[in-house]
Amino acid sequence: MPKLQGFEFWRNTLRGAHYVVAPMVDQSELAWRLLSRRHGAQLCYTPMLHAQVFVRDANYRKENLYCDVCPEDRPLIVQFCANDPEVFVQAALLAQDYCEAIDLNLGCPQMIAKRGHYGAFLQEEWALLQKMILLAHEKLSVPITCKIRVFPEIDKTVKYAQLLEKAGCQLLTVHGRTKEQKGSLAGVASWEHIKAVRKAVSIPVFANGNIQYLSDVEECMQKTGVHGVMSAEGNLHNPALFEGRNPVVWEMTEEYLEIVHQYPCPLSYVRAHLFKLWHHTLQVYQQLREELAKAKTLKGIADVNRDLKLRCQEEIANQKEGEEPKGGLPFFHWICQPYIRPGPKELCKENRTSGSEGGMRGKRALEDEDDGNSDTLSKNKQKKKLRNPNKRFDPSLKPKYAKCDHCGNPKGNKCVFNLCRGCCKKRAFKEIADCPGHGLLFKTKYEKSLLWKSGQPEMQKIERTQKGDVEETAGLKEGIDTVL
């Protein structure tokens, strides 16, 4: 069959999908996609896959795509990150029989993408992107799509989108934030940029950003004119978002765990999903956070969910008539609802620091930690304190170490050179010397080797004598056998 393009591809192959679950690393695995599809999602993406690893590693392919055949998990788009046209096409050719389209990730803003030179950090390299998409469009039997972030300037964003369309992109997802807008700096996505792109291209466009409820989906489609809306954070906090429902968290958890039993995934994925689903409830029942972190099996996680359910039901039973949700939430904490990521100012207020201190110190003021007060310690330090109640984190109480003369690392107390182990090893090797303090015996081993070499002629004489005796014995035995 001829490869469908543009609107024909969206209408026929993707069945005119409006509600889309975003590609999320370690979070949009098969089990979560199936849960989302049960509750209104019409199209899902795989997690972002690394093209080079996908080409060279059969286990990676098996774990991420060549797993259980699941007809319910369609239509599906496989997303790759790549910066080499040939590698990208090789990976896409290996994946094209398992999906409806291949997506090129041009939107990842994380540091790992910067180091690997992919995602949003390719958005200035238009010649390379044009080559990658052209080659994929020519070689693949399925369409090529792209997911991008915007530039600060609307005009440049429009030209960028038109270049991708001209190169062969058949569907474009536009995240209305720049690559600098992430974490506490995420802010509000610009629907104006998305609207401008939609008007400028003649292929289907999906919008991404600012989606927390089904009403946001409808508003976005109305204001921007896009053909579909993609959700990531909103979907993670409420997988029934596209149904327009806000179910209780334990019901979604029970359903998700049932799917994971049928289509297993790493326990770390499950735990990460529940931290999102239970975000608001874990602020109330913080002990459950520790129990979830310690759970080593699905049964253990199911037990924590049961405990959470009982606590919430008891709270519901004791609820007073007319009581309002606390903490400024639209619903009570046990109901699936969005999490509004605090901005830099709010983050500083939460950490009880001023703006300048908040910029210098990530999560809490350094002086708060120095007194060893468990109320202000990080989670990891609190765990250490539980194991050892006498543990102190005051830097002034830490033992002082003498520094190595060469590199400044702590030197060995018994080192004959007054150096750290690394520097000591280099010097001892160079000077053929010993350092019993670090267990380095270069001189001793050298002397033993000389002694062994000087004893070689004597050893060879003994070996020749033994060999002659063996040959003489063999000759006598042969003579006796002949006589007999």
Side-chain angles (χ1 to χ4, degrees), residues 68-252:
D68 298 292
V69 176
C70 187
E72 306 98 294
D73 188 37
R74 305 298 280 266
L76 178 70
I77 295 181
V78 175
Q79 187 187 71
F80 286 108
C81 67
N83 55 24
D84 183 300
E86 296 293 339
V87 173
F88 175 53
V89 170
Q90 286 178 43
L93 288 169
L94 291 170
Q96 66 180 358
D97 294 336
Y98 298 83
C99 61
E100 275 62 50
I102 299 295
D103 187 77
L104 177 60
N105 184 326
L106 300 175
C108 182
Q110 303 303 326
M111 185 55 67
I112 191 171
K114 185 175 183 179
R115 293 194 192 106
H117 192 53
Y118 57 80
F121 297 93
L122 291 179
Q123 67 179 14
E124 296 284 358
E125 301 187 35
W126 291 10
L128 173 63
L129 296 181
Q130 194 171 27
K131 186 177 179 182
M132 290 176 74
I133 296 166
L134 271 170
L135 189 62
H137 181 56
E138 289 173 5
K139 300 286 185 181
L140 299 182
S141 62
V142 295
I144 177 77
T145 69
C146 297
K147 184 172 186 289
I148 65 171
R149 283 196 169 224
V150 300
F151 291 95
E153 307 85 6
I154 291 181
D155 289 348
K156 189 173 182 180
T157 304
V158 166
K159 289 178 183 176
Y160 180 40
Q162 289 173 332
L163 174 132
L164 298 176
E165 179 191 10
K166 190 176 179 181
C169 175
Q170 303 303 318
L171 185 147
L172 192 63
T173 301
V174 184
H175 187 162
R177 294 184 175 92
T178 65
K179 70 175 185 292
E180 290 77 25
Q181 288 181 275
K182 57 182 180 179
S184 61
L185 301 175
V188 178
S190 170
W191 286 356
E192 287 301 314
H193 282 71
I194 299 172
K195 182 179 179 180
V197 170
R198 166 67 192 96
K199 286 183 176 180
V201 299
S202 55
I203 55 175
V205 175
F206 290 162
N208 185 206
N210 303 346
I211 305 302
Q212 297 170 359
Y213 302 98
L214 184 59
S215 57
D216 296 327
V217 175
E218 294 163 353
E219 184 184 356
C220 180
M221 292 180 71
Q222 184 181 1
K223 288 188 175 180
T224 62
V226 294
H227 305 89
V229 171
M230 178 182 284
S231 174
E233 288 276 325
N235 166 261
L236 290 176
H237 287 280
N238 179 14
L241 182 152
F242 291 127
E243 279 186 325
R245 290 196 311 120
N246 295 86
V248 293
V249 293
W250 61 82
E251 283 183 5
M252 286 289 98

Side-chain angles (χ1 to χ4, degrees), residues 407-465:
C407 66
N409 288 327
K411 74 176 183 180
N413 292 332
K414 298 180 181 179
C415 178
V416 296
F417 301 116
N418 290 321
L419 301 173
C420 67
R421 180 176 174 79
C423 297
C424 175
K425 188 174 182 179
K426 291 176 185 175
R427 181 166 174 180
F429 177 77
K430 187 177 180 181
E431 298 181 7
I432 313 177
D434 286 349
C435 177
H438 279 125
L440 302 172
L441 304 173
F442 292 108
K443 181 180 178 182
T444 303
K445 290 177 181 177
Y446 179 67
E447 289 175 348
K448 281 184 179 180
S449 68
L450 290 177
L451 187 62
W452 183 82
K453 283 180 181 178
S454 64
Q456 276 295 87
E458 197 67 31
M459 291 293 292
Q460 289 172 1
K461 185 178 178 183
I462 292 168
E463 286 174 1
R464 281 199 299 270
T465 304

Side-chain angles (χ1 to χ4, degrees), residues 286 289-290 350-352 361 363-395 397-398:
Q286 295 193 12
R289 178 183 293 276
E290 304 297 331
E350 284 184 8
N351 297 323
R352 301 185 299 282
R361 180 66 176 161
K363 291 190 176 180
R364 56 187 65 78
L366 186 61
E367 56 268 27
D368 287 344
E369 290 188 2
D370 291 345
D371 62 1
N373 185 352
S374 62
D375 293 335
T376 55
L377 290 177
S378 66
K379 290 287 183 183
N380 284 336
K381 289 184 178 179
Q382 287 183 42
K383 289 176 187 176
K384 289 177 183 178
K385 201 162 181 67
L386 282 174
R387 292 193 292 266
N388 180 9
N390 297 320
K391 181 108 176 142
R392 301 288 295 175
F393 298 99
D394 187 348
L397 300 177
K398 289 184 179 180

Side-chain angles (χ1 to χ4, degrees), residues 312-320:
C312 290
Q313 287 178 336
E314 184 180 350
E315 189 177 339
I316 293 169
N318 296 328
Q319 200 173 13
K320 297 176 182 177

